[in-house]
Amino acid sequence: MNFKVPRGTQDILPAVSWKWQRVEKIVQSVCDVYNYKEIRTPIFEQTELFQRTVGDTTDIVQKEMYTFKDRGDRSMTLRPEGTAAVVRSFVENKMFGYADQPVKLYYTGPMFRYERQQAGRYRQFVQFGVEAIGSDDPAIDAEVIELAMTVYKRAGLSDIKLILNSLGDKESRHAHREALIAHFTPHIGEFCTDCQNRLEKNPLRILDCKVDREHPLMKSAPSLADYLNESSSAYFEKVKHYLDIAGIEYEYDPNLVRGLDYYNHTAFEIMSTSKGFGAITTLCGGGRYNGLAEEIGGPSAPGIGFAMSIERLLLAMEAEEKSWTDEPSLDVYLVTLGEAARTKGFELLGQLREAGLRSEMDYMDRKMKAQMKSADRLQANYVIVIGEDEVNNNIVQLKNMTDGQQNQVAMENLLDELQK
C-alpha cells in the first residue's frame, strides 16, 4: 500500500523548513519590540465556540470546519481560525483582570478548513496572528495594522498595499442591515441558496458571495459608508489619523467585508500587488471585534487583531523574487578513516557541539572522497580529517574549505584554533 500526504496538506521538508524558521524569527522579533506575548491554545475546541463567534451563516461554519465527536460524545472542531480560541482563553483565564491593559497576544500555529486547494491555500495551513484585547482606543487599531505591515517589510516585501474600511458599530450595522434586506428581497430568488439563507440572518455576507459577485444588485447595493453614525465615522477618522502619523499608506474601500461575523468598526486587508503572485492577492486580514468576549460569557473587552498566512507570505517573497539569506551552513565536518579514527571522531564531535559548533560526521562507512563530497554538499566551512596516524600522534588535519588551506593541529588545540 502506498501512503500519501492527505489532500490539501503538505510536508514541509528540510530544504524549505529553514525558510519557515526565518519567518518565525521575524514574527517573534517584531512582536517582541511591540510588547506582544505568545499564547498557545489547543488545536481543537468545542464546536459551539466557533458557531457562536465566527457565525453560523459563514462558509467556515457551514462548509469548512473539521468537526468530530470525541469519546464523550461531545462535538469538537479543529480550529479554523485563531481569534475565537484566544478570546476564549482571555475570558476563561480572567486576563481582563490583569493590571496591564490591553492584553497584547500573538500566536503561530496550524488551522484547518475543508476548502478547495489553491496556490498557497491548504486544508491545514499555518497562521500568525495578533490580538489586542481590552481597549477601544483607535490608536491600538493603528498599532496592530502597523505591526502586520512591519512583518512584511522585515521579510523584504515591497509590493503590498493596505485596504481599509469601517463596518461601524451595532447601530450603524443595524441600519445598513435593514437597507440591504430591502434592496435584495425583491430579487433574492435570483441568488444562490447561501445568499437566500443569509438574507435575514446576515445580509452583509451576501456582499462577500463568490457565486453572485457579478449580479447587478451587488454593484447598486447600499454602502455601509452611508449608514455610519457620527461616533463610528469619528472613530474611523481617528484610526486613519494614527495611520497617517505612522506614515502608513492605505486605500479606502467601502465594499471591503470581512468573512467572519464578529467584526465591527475597523476592517482591513493587506494584499500583494506583485504581478507574479496570482489571482488571490490577500495576504492578511483583520479588524476590530468589540462584543466578542461578551458573546462567550465574558465581560466587556473590546479587541482588535489580524491573521496572516505564512504560506502566502512565502509565496509573496517568491513572486517578488526576494533572495533569502543563505541556508545555514555547517561549521565543521569530520572525515574519519578507520575504526580507531571513527571512535576518536565521535568523541571530538561531542566536544565541538558542546562548544556550539554545527558539526557532522559520516555514519555510512564511506571512503574519503565520498565523505569530502558530503562535506561540500553541506557547505561545511572546515573539514577535520582523522586517520590512523592522526590518532596515534594526537593530531588532526584541519582544512579551510573557503581558501583550501590545510594545517596540522594538535587535538588539544583544535577548539581554540576553530574559535579563532
Side-chain angles (χ1 to χ4, degrees):
M1 182 179 290
N2 294 322
F3 293 101
K4 295 184 178 180
V5 66
R7 184 178 177 86
T9 67
Q10 62 174 332
D11 295 318
I12 301 171
L13 302 178
V16 178
S17 63
W18 66 273
K19 297 181 180 181
W20 284 70
Q21 292 166 5
R22 293 285 169 84
V23 169
E24 288 161 3
K25 286 180 180 178
I26 291 171
V27 163
Q28 292 165 3
S29 65
V30 172
C31 287
D32 185 50
V33 298
Y34 277 78
N35 196 34
Y36 283 71
K37 309 297 184 182
E38 185 181 21
I39 184 170
R40 302 187 184 191
T41 63
I43 286 178
F44 62 92
E45 300 268 358
Q46 292 173 267
T47 301
E48 188 181 1
L49 174 67
F50 302 112
Q51 291 172 335
R52 291 180 65 89
T53 58
V54 175
D56 58 9
T57 63
T58 61
D59 286 346
I60 292 176
V61 171
Q62 290 189 343
K63 304 175 183 178
E64 298 172 359
M65 294 201 310
Y66 281 91
T67 298
F68 62 95
K69 288 288 187 73
D70 68 7
R71 291 178 181 268
D73 201 36
R74 293 170 289 249
S75 182
M76 297 291 173
T77 296
L78 298 179
R79 61 187 184 195
E81 57 93 44
T83 299
V86 172
V87 175
R88 187 270 308 152
S89 181
F90 174 88
V91 172
E92 182 178 355
N93 293 287
K94 297 181 172 58
M95 296 185 201
F96 48 81
Y98 287 6
D100 294 320
Q101 297 287 330
V103 176
K104 299 161 71 172
L105 306 166
Y106 80 92
Y107 59 86
T108 307
M111 308 293 165
F112 305 85
R113 296 184 192 176
Y114 190 90
E115 56 183 349
R116 186 169 63 88
Q117 184 176 344
Q118 302 173 60
R121 180 169 288 183
Y122 297 88
R123 292 175 179 176
Q124 177 180 322
F125 54 98
V126 178
Q127 280 188 342
F128 156 59
V130 154
E131 314 293 348
I133 310 173
S135 171
D136 59 2
D137 187 338
I140 197 72
D141 297 36
E143 177 183 279
V144 166
I145 294 171
E146 182 185 43
L147 191 158
M149 296 291 284
T150 300
V151 168
Y152 289 123
K153 289 177 182 177
R154 292 276 184 90
L157 296 181
S158 56
D159 297 342
I160 57 175
K161 66 178 179 180
L162 170 65
I163 308 298
L164 197 65
N165 190 23
S166 173
L167 302 180
D169 59 12
K170 286 184 178 180
E171 178 183 290
S172 302
R173 293 188 67 169
H174 178 74
H176 184 233
R177 178 182 183 277
E178 295 302 312
L180 287 174
I181 292 175
H183 177 76
F184 286 113
T185 295
H187 301 278
I188 195 62
E190 301 171 12
F191 286 77
C192 69
T193 303
D194 287 340
C195 286
Q196 294 177 31
N197 293 334
R198 291 164 179 163
L199 180 64
E200 293 295 335
K201 292 182 178 180
N202 190 354
L204 187 64
R205 294 280 296 123
I206 296 176
L207 301 178
D208 200 34
C209 180
K210 310 252 183 328
V211 176
D212 296 313
R213 66 175 69 185
E214 300 301 325
H215 195 286
L217 284 182
M218 289 293 203
K219 296 180 180 179
S220 60
S223 172
L224 181 55
D226 296 330
Y227 291 86
L228 292 182
N229 57 25
E230 186 175 343
S231 61
S232 294
S233 296
Y235 190 94
F236 192 43
E237 289 303 315
K238 288 180 181 178
V239 172
K240 293 189 287 185
H241 174 64
Y242 283 113
L243 289 174
D244 292 337
I245 291 173
I248 297 175
E249 296 182 358
Y250 54 85
E251 292 183 16
Y252 169 58
D253 182 358
N255 296 316
L256 173 64
V257 178
R258 296 295 301 144
L260 309 181
D261 282 3
Y262 52 61
Y263 285 116
N264 47 62
H265 282 297
T266 309
F268 67 93
E269 290 185 353
I270 300 173
M271 313 182 86
S272 171
T273 59
S274 177
K275 293 181 180 179
F277 187 69
I280 300 175
T281 59
T282 302
L283 300 175
C284 167
R288 180 161 281 281
Y289 46 82
N290 300 350
L292 185 58
E294 295 97 308
E295 181 68 25
I296 59 175
S300 175
I304 183 169
F306 68 77
M308 67 170 61
S309 164
I310 301 299
E311 289 91 345
R312 297 187 71 76
L313 189 158
L314 293 169
L315 278 179
M317 294 188 70
E318 291 180 11
E320 291 193 29
E321 298 182 345
K322 298 297 181 183
S323 59
W324 287 88
T325 304
D326 289 341
E327 183 176 0
S329 60
L330 201 64
D331 293 319
V332 184
Y333 190 95
L334 278 77
V335 172
T336 59
L337 307 171
E339 189 59 36
R342 179 184 299 276
T343 301
K344 189 63 180 178
F346 189 79
E347 179 186 340
L348 283 176
L349 191 66
Q351 296 172 8
L352 294 170
R353 289 169 173 170
E354 188 176 356
L357 298 174
R358 297 182 70 247
S359 309
E360 185 60 278
M361 67 177 288
D362 176 61
Y363 292 103
M364 302 299 293
D365 196 26
R366 291 176 290 192
K367 297 191 180 298
M368 182 174 179
K369 184 177 180 181
Q371 292 185 54
M372 292 297 293
K373 284 184 176 180
S374 181
D376 193 52
R377 284 194 301 271
L378 293 170
Q379 302 178 50
N381 296 318
Y382 288 88
V383 168
I384 295 170
V385 180
I386 307 172
E388 184 177 347
D389 289 344
E390 283 75 20
V391 173
N392 293 335
N393 293 298
N394 206 35
I395 59 172
V396 300
Q397 305 298 328
L398 180 63
K399 182 175 182 179
N400 185 324
M401 298 294 281
T402 302
D403 58 22
Q405 291 188 3
Q406 183 169 314
N407 299 308
Q408 185 174 285
V409 179
M411 286 190 185
E412 63 266 23
N413 297 330
L414 178 59
L415 279 177
D416 289 339
E417 187 68 24
L418 285 168
Q419 288 172 344
K420 287 179 182 179

